[in-house]
Amino acid sequence: MVEEEFRNKISTVDEKGKRVWIFPKKPSGKFYSKRKITSYLLLALLFAIPFFKIDGEPFLMFNIVEGKFSLFGQVFWPQDLYIFALITIIMVLFIILFTVIFGRLFCGWICPQTIFMEMVFRRIEYWIEGDWTAQKKLAKSEWNAEKIKKRALKYSIFFIISFIIANTFLSYIIGYEEVWDIATSAPSEHIVGFIAILIFTFIFFMVFLKLREQVCTTICPYGRLQGVLLDSKSLNVIYDYKRGENRAKFSKKIDRKEAGLGDCIDCNQCVNVCPTGIDIRNGIQLECVNCTACIDACDFMMEKTNQPKGLIRYDSEDGVSKNERFKFTTRVKAYTFVLIALVGLLTTMLVLRSDFEVTILRTRGTVFEHNTDGEIYNIYDLSILNKTNRDLPVKLKLMNHAGRIQMIGDEILLKSRDDIQSKFIIYIPEDEIKSLKTTVEIGIYEGDNLVETTSTKFIAPKI
Ligand code: SF4
Ligand code: SF4
């Protein structure tokens, strides 16, 4: 029963429900080196992206305050909500497909939480407090000059990095120029922005100082979804129990095969390096973020004991139990098909997406009128949203009908990424009108360039 205890509670909680603090051993090895390179490239991208612009628009920005979003330099407004909804569905489906095939590869290699925790904050901790045994010792020790010095240094560096992360995070929301403005002005000039930076800094500071692996094991919904998404064919960091059991300590005097022993020498190194405090030999568990630290630790021990590497490796449950290689299952094929279809639909929508949003409605409470020139006229309300980065002086023209348009008030100057409301009148000669309701097409021109067409109804008296 003791061996099965891991099934009753997560690894970071003791029998009394108290948090068990994890002191993972500093990892090293082939996978760790590759993860370091991947992580630092991704971090460089994360910090650089807010400064990228295409045609003056941010490469990526999610301005929830103004309801303006920029993806790859393309600006989206609340009117483009359907495109965003489709992008969200595609992302969810992509995550499902990715997880069905690659398990939690995202958690270990791409997730910002893991990258910051393991490759930034944890490494700083190793540098200041030493490896896991030294950290344990320091945690237990009385508050003396050395402990105060080390902790003060750690907290200060953690806080500075959290401040940088908070500013970067905010840059993705309101743009780096605005963040710079907040950071360089007196707090009273941008009180909301200043408080937002402080709150985000504090949240990131506490996440990386205290919360740590709890984000992955108890808060992140993606981690909780694994049980539903993974199947026996999904790739995972997995212990080859067929090869490893029966586990027993290593001894040069014993021939393990003859003694009926497996390759696991029960050295516990895979457990010592685990940042979520689990024993991967108990099977795939929700705490495992696929960080691969245990693969490196075990490979090292296998080398030391002249046994083949890969006792812990990336493989599927079927790979271990039936020696089956990865195959495209019907489930994966179905997800892939739907995903390709949705990406096709999104591409079409983006290509057909108009740069302008035009709404023309006949002014409420008005009907047709006659004038002395033998024309009938209707009055309309006009609303145009300019999604482009250009300021455009525009004119309206009738496209399919004799007649003319007259603006009420000034000519229209559409400011970039702005909308404008106006009124205009359509005049049509009486003898050109053939029915009570005529559909008229209206062209919106920038100079001689037709930038958008739309249509509306023109009403007239009984003929
Ligand atoms: S079990 Fe291995 S891969 Fe999973 S979190 Fe622990 S060390 Fe990382
Ligand atoms: S590191 Fe490898 S050999 Fe050592 S206990 Fe873990 S699985 Fe067994």
Side-chain angles (χ1 to χ4, degrees), residues 186-384:
S188 55
E189 285 178 36
H190 296 279
I191 195 73
V192 177
F194 181 72
I195 291 172
I197 290 180
L198 281 187
I199 290 174
F200 284 132
T201 302
F202 182 71
I203 290 173
F204 286 121
F205 179 70
M206 292 313 287
V207 162
F208 295 112
L209 184 71
K210 293 281 176 206
L211 213 52
R212 301 193 162 195
E213 75 292 332
Q214 298 299 311
V215 174
C216 314
T217 56
T218 57
I219 298 172
C220 175
Y222 181 57
R224 317 292 294 181
L225 272 176
Q226 303 304 306
V228 191
L229 299 179
L230 299 180
D231 62 22
S232 60
K233 291 175 174 46
S234 309
L235 287 177
N236 257 304
V237 172
I238 195 166
Y239 165 68
D240 186 343
Y241 51 88
K242 279 174 76 181
R243 197 187 125 190
E245 301 299 309
N246 297 313
R247 65 184 86 154
K249 296 284 178 206
F250 179 72
S251 165
K252 281 184 181 164
K253 294 177 194 149
I254 299 172
D255 183 320
R256 299 183 75 84
K257 293 269 174 308
E258 269 181 21
L261 297 177
D263 288 354
C264 174
I265 58 168
D266 208 11
C267 62
N268 243 27
Q269 290 304 313
C270 51
V271 183
N272 294 342
V273 290
C274 180
T276 61
I278 59 169
D279 185 342
I280 190 68
R281 292 172 299 170
N282 290 331
I284 296 165
Q285 293 147 77
L286 83 88
E287 294 97 323
C288 176
V289 291
N290 275 217
C291 74
T292 66
C294 54
I295 300 185
D296 279 332
C298 189
D299 279 351
F300 179 77
M301 297 314 292
M302 290 296 106
E303 256 185 349
K304 283 263 171 210
T305 53
N306 280 325
Q307 302 190 86
K309 291 184 193 176
L311 178 58
I312 302 175
R313 60 177 182 270
Y314 266 121
D315 208 337
S316 66
E317 175 59 37
D318 283 356
V320 169
S321 61
K322 302 179 197 160
N323 211 14
E324 260 181 29
R325 293 297 99 197
F326 174 75
K327 278 196 296 231
F328 270 96
T329 59
T330 314
R331 184 183 178 200
V332 170
K333 280 182 198 160
Y335 284 149
T336 310
F337 176 77
V338 177
L339 188 63
I340 291 171
L342 288 178
V343 170
L345 178 64
L346 177 67
T347 312
T348 314
M349 282 166 83
L350 286 176
V351 170
L352 297 178
R353 179 176 168 262
S354 159
D355 281 341
F356 301 90
E357 197 88 28
V358 184
T359 313
I360 294 177
L361 294 171
R362 233 184 39 256
T363 301
R364 287 181 72 176
T366 62
V367 283
F368 56 85
E369 297 284 348
H370 295 266
N371 68 8
T372 48
D373 295 335
E375 293 170 315
I376 295 173
Y377 63 92
N378 287 187
I379 305 172
Y380 295 88
D381 290 334
L382 168 72
S383 165
I384 310 180

